[in-house]
């Protein structure tokens, strides 16, 4: 029988697997993640805010980061989002979120979001999704996250979404 998933807070020892999953889901590998974030970026995020990891049989199958707005000063697409919608003064950025291709459609993203909200009650989270990323738009609509703005960046259209945990 298949082992169940374990969704928990990520730690430093998850970083190699997070970076590997990120790499496999960047546009350079045919994936839909919008930006390559460095090991240093994830280390800073881990120290500042919850990063969620899901493993199955000890193997990382998903991650969901959260980070202060200031952590994205060097990430142009996030700056474009913030120009379109900034949220509350204590709002944080939700994402990136990524689930291993062979594990998609099984509720892992929803479980990671549920744990993130438990860790950050009452705070606004903001995120962006490419308008052509149907799976992500559907998954986040299913989570009850709603659209608050739209923006263009490098000729790509995005929607901005927001929720309160
Ligand atoms: C977006 C992503 C994180 C969703 O993760 P997931 O674990 O597959 O999502 P879930 O199984 O929790 O899906 C929840 C809902 O989303 C919808 N959904 C998920 N994948 C879908 C797909 N490929 N097509 C249509 N709907 C989809 C379903 O409605 C599902 O709910 P339901 O099964 O009860 O109907 C995943 O597809 C992914 O990692 N994509 C690659 C990276 C990426 O694009 N990240 C997001 C950038 S904004």
């Amino acid at each position: 029988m298949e082992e169940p998933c374990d969704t928990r807070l990520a730690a430093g020892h998850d970083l190699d697997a997070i970076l590997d999953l990120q790499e496999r889901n960047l546009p350079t590998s045919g994936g839909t993640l919008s930006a390559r974030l460095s090991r240093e970026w994830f280390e800073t995020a881990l120290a500042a805010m919850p990063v969620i990891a899901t493993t199955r049989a000890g193997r990382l199958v998903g991650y969901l980061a959260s980070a202060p707005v200031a952590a994205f000063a060097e990430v142009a697409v996030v700056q474009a989002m913030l120009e379109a919608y900034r949220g509350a003064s204590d709002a944080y950025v939700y994402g990136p979120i990524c689930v291993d291709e062979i594990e998609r459609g099984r509720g892992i993203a929803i479980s990671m979001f549920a744990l993130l909200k438990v860790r950050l009650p009452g705070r606004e989270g903001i995120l962006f999704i490419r308008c052509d990323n149907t799976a992500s738009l559907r998954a986040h609509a299913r989570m009850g996250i709603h659209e608050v703005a739209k923006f263009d960046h490098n000729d790509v259209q995005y929607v901005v979404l927001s929720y309160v945990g």
Side-chain angles (χ1 to χ4, degrees):
M1 208 176 74
E2 188 177 64
E3 272 200 45
C5 281
D6 178 25
T7 295
R8 55 168 172 77
L9 284 177
H13 62 80
D14 294 307
L15 280 183
D16 284 344
I18 287 174
L19 290 168
D20 177 59
L21 185 53
Q22 171 182 250
E23 206 56 39
R24 285 185 279 124
N25 284 278
L26 286 166
T28 43
S29 307
T32 51
L33 287 176
S34 293
R36 175 185 279 113
L37 299 170
S38 65
R39 176 179 291 272
E40 293 69 35
W41 186 92
F42 278 104
E43 282 168 350
T44 305
L46 269 175
M49 290 196 60
V51 176
I52 311 297
T54 297
T55 58
R56 190 191 294 282
R59 194 177 78 88
L60 184 101
V61 295
Y63 65 86
L64 165 60
S66 66
V69 167
F72 292 94
E74 311 290 325
V75 185
V77 64
V78 177
Q79 293 306 310
M81 172 185 76
L82 293 170
E83 276 174 33
Y85 181 80
R86 174 62 183 73
S89 56
D90 69 340
Y92 62 92
V93 177
Y94 161 113
I97 183 167
C98 188
V99 173
D100 195 338
E101 198 167 2
I102 58 164
E103 295 277 356
R104 287 183 195 155
R106 306 174 79 179
I108 291 174
I110 285 177
S111 298
M112 293 195 293
F113 179 53
L115 179 56
L116 185 70
K117 283 200 297 184
V118 166
R119 306 296 303 196
L120 297 169
R123 281 182 62 185
E124 182 180 6
I126 54 178
L127 62 142
F128 65 89
I129 303 177
R130 271 180 76 121
C131 287
D132 60 1
N133 191 345
T134 312
S136 186
L137 288 170
R138 288 232 199 132
H140 290 94
R142 182 89 162 74
M143 295 177 202
I145 301 179
H146 64 276
E147 185 180 323
V148 288
K150 284 194 164 71
F151 68 97
D152 285 7
H153 179 68
N154 289 344
D155 296 325
V156 177
Q157 289 189 310
Y158 297 86
V159 293
V160 187
L161 300 102
S162 158
Y163 61 88
V164 177

